[in-house]
Amino acid sequence: MTQEKTQLKEFLESISVLQWVLSFLLLGVACIILMVYLMFTSLWPLSALYFVWLVMDWHTPERGGRRTMFVRKWKVWEHMRDYFPVKLVKTAELNPNKNYILGSHPHGIMCAGAFTCFSTESCGFAEAFPGMRASLAILAGLFRIPFNREYIMSAGLYPVSKPSLVHLLSKSGKGNAVVIVIGGAAESLASSPGLNTVVMKERKGFVRVALELGVDLVPVYSFGENELYQQVIFAEGSLCRRLQDLFKKIMGFAPCLFVGERFVLLPYRTPITTVVGSPISVPKRVMPTDEEVDHYHTLYMEALSKLFHEHKVSCGLSENHKLQII
């Protein structure tokens, strides 16, 4: 029998999620404004010193970052987990003597499932997969923002760039599970309740990296991710959609017009179940051919589709729900 939450507990959950949403949307901009503001005050030496530090420390995010368990174990992440709630489901073992690339789907508006499961300790990834260390790779441009980069590095976030992936998967020992949200910004524009659409057909870079480094691929699907917000989806070719695509091309992420449950920004309290699939064995190829990349890309899409259909009913979807891969 489910225990009823107290008003205090619900308040703490809402505040925890709200701070995460505001950080996702505004922290980078706020850090830039703060940096510029300090330059025109008596505290300008702080900005100057930080700028020197930034130049000296520029490549740290791609060389292992500065992950701290203190941030990953904040109590606020447990309240955030309970808000939806978010649950991690294991379907197969991951060998701690190997490294893996986990492809996370779908992006949704803010990747709540992927962040909670793989960038915090609140969902028990380390307990479910002993000896494994999860690392969520995100937009590389965020690590160029003053102050903001220090915060996201402390949570164990890494740039989704080739040098960063190579370092994590070949120079940081074994037992690394690097999580990449394959669909990226393009997939966020397709996020809407009732839809299960993933952008995959032309996303093959992660497969090439897996072949070059000889790391296995693991599909991951977060059921409920697309149910968190109502989004206005503009038709392909419309002026608004062209502006979204232009912004995405320039900035690397897409501006979405969405609304949540309360205060516009709070997502709906919809359960998120993040299911980690079985590994796909990938051989090591110094220079993989296009045919090899296409082959393992096809195997990955088939495994993702199988994972979706095997777990959709137990995760709240009807039997007739389909996964659309575009």
Side-chain angles (χ1 to χ4, degrees):
M1 187 173 181
T2 304
Q3 185 177 1
E4 187 175 350
K5 295 179 181 179
T6 64
Q7 287 187 334
L8 176 60
K9 173 61 174 171
E10 289 189 349
F11 174 75
L12 290 174
E13 290 174 2
S14 297
I15 290 298
S16 298
V17 173
L18 183 61
Q19 67 81 27
W20 174 73
V21 171
L22 292 176
S23 296
F24 186 96
L25 297 175
L26 302 175
L27 183 60
V29 175
C31 288
I32 293 173
I33 293 174
L34 175 62
M35 185 73 168
V36 174
Y37 169 75
L38 290 176
M39 292 173 62
F40 295 94
T41 69
S42 59
L43 297 176
W44 67 266
L46 291 179
S47 288
L49 287 173
Y50 184 83
F51 180 76
V52 173
W53 161 256
L54 187 63
V55 173
M56 295 174 59
D57 196 56
W58 190 253
H59 295 292
T60 295
E62 295 182 334
R63 296 173 180 170
R66 280 189 292 273
R67 175 190 183 117
T68 64
M69 293 303 291
F70 170 72
V71 174
R72 292 175 63 91
K73 288 186 175 182
W74 278 351
K75 189 70 175 179
V76 68
W77 306 132
E78 295 180 15
H79 291 309
M80 178 177 167
R81 174 201 63 199
D82 296 341
Y83 175 91
F84 298 100
V86 181
K87 181 172 69 172
L88 180 70
V89 174
K90 171 185 176 180
T91 65
E93 296 291 341
L94 296 183
N95 187 344
N97 294 315
K98 301 179 69 174
N99 291 327
Y100 299 89
I101 292 179
L102 276 59
S104 180
H105 313 266
H107 184 286
I109 299 295
M110 299 185 193
C111 303
F115 177 85
T116 310
C117 289
F118 304 119
S119 194
T120 79
E121 301 299 317
S122 64
C123 291
F125 179 89
E127 290 74 26
F129 300 97
M132 297 301 301
R133 174 174 127 153
S135 304
L136 181 60
I138 63 174
L139 188 66
L142 295 174
F143 294 87
R144 301 187 183 102
I145 300 176
F147 306 125
N148 179 69
R149 69 194 292 274
E150 317 302 336
Y151 173 55
I152 60 179
M153 273 198 290
S154 68
L157 295 167
Y158 300 88
V160 63
S161 63
K162 182 73 174 289
S164 176
L165 297 178
V166 169
H167 188 281
L168 290 169
L169 294 168
S170 66
K171 300 179 182 179
S172 300
K174 300 299 181 181
N176 293 294
V178 179
V179 184
I180 303 174
V181 184
I182 306 298
E187 199 168 85
S188 68
L189 295 176
S191 172
S192 185
L195 297 180
N196 294 284
T197 303
V198 296
V199 177
M200 264 292 301
K201 287 186 177 179
E202 301 301 323
R203 302 293 175 108
K204 301 179 182 180
F206 73 104
V207 179
R208 187 174 294 277
V209 171
L211 282 163
E212 290 175 352
L213 301 177
V215 299
D216 292 351
L217 294 168
V218 182
V220 177
Y221 200 90
S222 291
F223 293 89
E225 185 72 49
N226 284 346
E227 312 298 318
L228 305 185
Y229 290 99
Q230 298 281 348
Q231 181 184 189
V232 177
I233 299 181
F234 300 105
E236 289 289 345
S238 65
L239 175 60
C240 291
R241 186 53 179 260
R242 291 201 303 269
L243 289 174
Q244 284 180 317
D245 290 338
L246 177 62
F247 189 93
K248 175 169 66 71
K249 185 176 180 180
I250 296 173
M251 300 299 295
F253 63 94
C256 301
L257 185 59
F258 62 89
V259 61
E261 184 178 37
R262 284 180 292 168
F263 313 117
V264 180
L265 295 177
L266 275 179
Y268 291 95
R269 286 181 179 265
T270 301
I272 302 173
T273 304
T274 300
V275 184
V276 180
S278 301
I280 301 166
S281 182
V282 177
K284 186 172 183 178
R285 299 285 187 266
V286 177
M287 295 185 65
T289 64
D290 290 341
E291 289 74 19
E292 288 175 319
V293 172
D294 289 342
H295 172 70
Y296 286 98
H297 183 258
T298 299
L299 290 181
Y300 180 88
M301 289 193 293
E302 291 173 351
L304 176 63
S305 182
K306 180 182 178 183
L307 180 72
F308 176 85
H309 290 295
E310 285 182 348
H311 295 273
K312 62 183 179 182
V313 174
S314 63
C315 293
L317 298 180
S318 64
E319 188 65 47
N320 61 0
H321 263 86
K322 303 296 181 184
L323 178 66
Q324 183 182 12
I325 300 178
I326 61 175

